[in-house]
Amino acid sequence: MADKEKKNVITYEGVQELEKELEELKVVRRKEVAGKIKEAREQGDLSENAEYDAAKEEQAAIEARIDEIEKILKNVEVVTDEDVDLSKINVGSVIKIRDVEYGDELEYKLVGSTEADSLKGKISNESPVGIALIGKGIGDIIEVEAPAGAIKYEIIDIK
């Protein structure tokens, strides 16, 4: 049961997004799916009613997501902007790195695993790059193992 001890590290914005999603699921989506189930029941025989089955599956998915969000929020450690030390990288830091070999510059925000979204430039503190970045400072070189081999990055800015 080591998983129970693990805190969900998350930024303040991440907590707000989860709370907003939870509110939407509880207030809006539950009512929508209850309406779909009621309509499907009124159509008669439930054993051959695809709409009823789909609505029940949607209801189960909504309830599972509500449960998941509530568990995350119950065991959360919020990182605020005031907690971020700009001399060392930690959760909440915005980092600019340069690929040592190719010179490409990348910018990421280091976040807890529950709010990671690579398409939005948010990488997890538990990812290989995130682990390598934690505690480092400007000018440090990190090495990350990738499927194509080791990649070296130089940290050029922390915000």
Side-chain angles (χ1 to χ4, degrees), residues 12-141:
Y12 182 67
E13 297 86 35
V15 169
Q16 288 179 313
E17 286 176 24
L18 284 173
E19 287 174 343
K20 186 175 160 190
E21 181 183 353
L22 186 61
E23 184 76 10
E24 167 78 10
L25 289 169
K26 284 182 167 182
V27 175
V28 178
R29 301 283 291 132
R30 269 183 176 164
K31 281 183 187 162
E32 285 176 0
V33 82
K36 289 179 186 177
I37 290 170
K38 184 176 183 265
E39 281 178 32
R41 274 196 184 125
E42 290 169 356
Q43 293 174 12
D45 185 12
L46 297 181
S47 65
E48 294 179 20
N49 190 326
E51 287 86 9
Y52 179 78
D53 292 341
K56 288 301 276 184
E57 284 177 24
E58 187 178 354
Q59 181 183 43
I62 289 169
E63 293 305 321
R65 181 62 181 154
I66 287 171
D67 188 48
E68 180 184 10
I69 293 171
E70 286 176 339
K71 282 180 182 164
I72 290 168
L73 292 175
K74 223 177 260 174
N75 195 24
V76 74
E77 181 181 323
V78 180
V79 177
T80 63
D81 290 342
E82 294 81 50
D83 296 333
V84 178
D85 174 1
L86 294 179
S87 67
K88 297 279 179 230
I89 297 171
N90 210 328
V91 173
S93 298
V94 175
I95 310 107
K96 189 180 271 189
I97 58 177
R98 179 180 356 205
D99 184 314
V100 172
E101 187 176 351
Y102 297 106
D104 297 337
E105 289 187 6
L106 307 163
E107 187 170 281
Y108 294 113
K109 180 167 188 172
L110 194 63
V111 296
S113 59
T114 53
E115 62 182 317
D117 184 344
S118 60
L119 298 177
K120 292 182 181 173
K122 296 178 177 181
I123 60 170
S124 168
N125 62 325
E126 297 174 13
S127 69
V129 174
I131 291 167
L133 286 168
I134 296 276
K136 300 295 189 285
I138 294 174
D140 288 349
I141 305 275

